[in-house]
Amino acid sequence: MSTKLNQLQDNLFTLQNMSEDDLAKKILSTLGDNETINVKKLRKEILLQLQTDSDDKAAKKKFKKAVQALEKEGKLTLDSEGVVTLKESMKNKKKDKKKDKKKDKKKDKKKRKKSEDEEEDGENESKKQKANEEKDEDEDQYAENEDDQEENQDTEEGTNSDKNKSCTGNPEGYTRLFLGNLPFAVDEDALRTFLEPAVMTHVKWITDKETGKFYGSAFIEMSTSKCGATAVKDKNGEKLMGRQIRINFAPSRDGDVWPPRSKEVTGNGGQAGGVGVKAMSEKPEGCVKLFVGNLSFDIDDDTIVKFFANVDAEVKAVRWLHHQDSGDFKGCGYVEFWNTEACDKGATLNGKVLVARPIR
């Protein structure tokens, strides 16, 4: 309970520190090339990008205020059915930006070619200089080996420092990206291929914490800041399996464990919409409770107690979670054990089938 309260406080703190202008820019950016979207879907997308609880009232209020301000400024319209539409003037600006992107691509291509030519000339000059030095100096083989080792070490250190180096289109050097409007059939291999030539190293599918349902969005880590810039510039708005993908920079917050220590598998072959074994979060010290999800609606206390008894994990108490409005069972709950050792044993059943459903 305290952990969830702290998370809500962090989310509120993030929004409170975001200016209205920044929030407005993010709303316009998230609209993407679709230009028309339901306001609730847009709000959910924005809050996901900010890693904010979609039920947070303060967040909803701030979003509503930002949309009203944009409507007043004539940048978008909101009809009686809750559909947000970009104004014609904003569409023209997007077209101009696309033209500018094409021009920038041509300029970048020329710069790269020029840079490659200069590097080649520099390498040739360096080879000539080295040949002259070898003629003038009579160094022993041991000294030459020492120099080679130091040069290799410097090269490796330089490569590591280049990961978050500022570059064109990514001055902050971000390598973490947010992807939205993903098809539910997407998997890790399809996403890697879509992002090429940019290289993705990690992916975390965003799913409902209680049901495990895929939201159609993800956070990914790129190998370098240049790959991040390439993905945002070249792939934002492009189609994957018939859907226009939205890609934005999403720097991790202080305290976030990113990139993930281990890959999270949510289906066969890393498929986002599948149902499989999900990597468990790190266990807090002295923890005696487990969250259990993806439960059958036919579950009862006796069944869950017998299930954990299979690994000698004696259950102390069970608390099922229900919807506040309807009182319907959510398909999840909390199981408390008598000691932390029993809790560890219970955790080994993650992904095992209980009443025809893989428990998590």
Side-chain angles (χ1 to χ4, degrees):
M1 183 71 179
S2 60
T3 303
K4 189 170 183 180
L5 181 59
N6 290 335
Q7 183 181 1
L8 289 172
Q9 290 174 341
D10 290 342
N11 293 338
L12 185 58
F13 177 79
T14 302
L15 281 173
Q16 286 176 343
N17 281 270
M18 173 173 271
S19 67
E20 292 183 3
D21 288 341
D22 288 341
L23 183 55
K25 289 178 181 178
K26 184 164 282 293
I27 290 173
L28 293 175
S29 173
T30 305
L31 277 171
D33 293 334
N34 291 333
E35 299 171 355
T36 298
I37 188 173
N38 182 274
V39 68
K40 290 184 179 180
K41 186 176 180 181
L42 176 62
R43 182 183 66 200
K44 188 174 182 180
E45 191 78 32
I46 292 291
L47 297 184
L48 274 174
Q49 291 183 35
L50 297 175
Q51 296 178 272
T52 302
D53 194 329
S54 59
D55 295 327
D56 189 286
K57 292 183 179 179
K60 289 181 177 180
K61 187 175 181 180
K62 189 160 187 177
F63 172 83
K64 181 179 179 181
K65 187 177 179 181
V67 171
Q68 290 174 342
L70 288 170
E71 186 177 20
K72 188 175 181 181
E73 293 172 6
K75 295 182 178 179
L76 54 79
T77 59
L78 177 62
D79 62 22
S80 58
E81 296 182 357
V83 176
V84 179
T85 305
L86 276 178
K87 282 292 189 70
E88 196 65 34
S89 58
M90 296 302 296
K91 294 179 182 179
N92 292 333
K93 286 184 179 179
K94 286 181 175 288
K95 290 179 181 178
D96 292 338
K97 284 184 178 179
K98 285 186 176 180
K99 291 180 181 179
D100 292 339
K101 281 185 178 180
K102 289 182 179 179
K103 291 180 180 179
D104 290 340
K105 282 184 180 179
K106 290 181 180 179
K107 289 181 180 179
D108 289 342
K109 190 174 181 180
K110 289 181 180 179
K111 287 181 180 179
R112 285 197 298 268
K113 190 174 186 308
K114 184 178 179 181
S115 177
E116 289 172 359
D117 292 340
E118 290 176 351
E119 287 179 3
E120 186 176 352
D121 292 341
E123 288 177 1
N124 292 335
E125 187 64 30
S126 178
K127 288 178 181 179
K128 290 179 181 178
Q129 185 177 356
K130 187 175 181 180
N132 293 332
E133 289 175 355
E134 287 176 352
K135 290 179 181 180
D136 297 335
E137 298 177 4
D138 185 18
E139 297 179 342
D140 56 54
Q141 189 64 36
Y142 176 79
E144 289 178 3
N145 291 338
E146 285 290 311
D147 290 341
D148 290 340
Q149 290 175 4
E150 290 178 3
E151 184 178 343
N152 290 336
Q153 184 176 358
D154 291 341
T155 302
E156 290 176 0
E157 292 175 355
T159 302
N160 292 332
S161 65
D162 286 346
K163 176 179 172 64
N164 297 101
K165 188 176 181 181
S166 176
C167 64
T168 303
N170 190 1
E172 301 297 331
Y174 294 137
T175 54
R176 185 175 186 255
L177 307 179
F178 172 84
L179 276 64
N181 201 38
L182 291 168
F184 285 84
V186 70
D187 58 22
E188 190 173 333
D189 291 337
L191 190 56
R192 287 185 189 279
T193 303
F194 171 73
L195 293 169
E196 290 178 350
V199 179
M200 179 186 75
T201 61
H202 296 76
V203 57
K204 183 173 183 181
W205 311 113
I206 301 177
T207 57
D208 188 277
K209 294 180 180 178
E210 295 176 353
T211 65
K213 182 180 179 182
F214 178 48
Y215 277 140
S217 50
F219 288 103
I220 63 173
E221 177 73 6
M222 307 304 290
S223 62
T224 64
S225 55
K226 287 184 179 180
C227 284
T230 299
V232 172
K233 183 178 180 182
D234 296 342
K235 301 300 181 179
N236 183 35
E238 295 295 316
K239 286 188 177 182
L240 172 60
M241 298 182 183
R243 303 191 70 173
Q244 287 183 320
I245 308 303
R246 290 192 288 274
I247 306 179
N248 298 308
F249 292 113
S252 57
R253 299 179 302 173
D254 292 338
D256 285 349
V257 179
W258 189 265
R261 293 192 182 97
S262 59
K263 289 186 177 180
E264 183 177 287
V265 179
T266 56
N268 296 329
Q271 183 172 342
V275 177
V277 181
K278 182 176 180 180
M280 296 182 66
S281 58
E282 187 175 351
K283 178 188 174 186
E285 186 176 354
C287 177
V288 293
K289 287 184 180 180
L290 288 176
F291 171 85
V292 288
N294 197 39
L295 296 172
S296 167
F297 287 90
D298 296 326
I299 194 72
D300 56 29
D301 289 10
D302 290 339
T303 303
I304 199 78
V305 169
K306 290 178 181 178
F307 178 71
F308 284 107
N310 290 322
V311 290
D312 296 325
E314 188 176 358
V315 175
K316 180 179 180 181
V318 179
R319 181 166 65 90
W320 308 116
L321 298 182
H322 299 81
H323 290 283
Q324 292 182 355
D325 298 334
S326 64
D328 294 336
F329 178 46
K330 288 186 175 182
C332 57
Y334 290 93
V335 178
E336 183 179 0
F337 300 89
W338 287 100
N339 51 56
T340 185
E341 289 79 13
C343 186
D344 289 338
K345 292 178 181 179
T348 62
L349 295 176
N350 181 37
K352 301 299 181 183
V353 176
L354 173 63
V355 194
R357 301 189 72 170
I359 190 174
R360 64 175 182 85

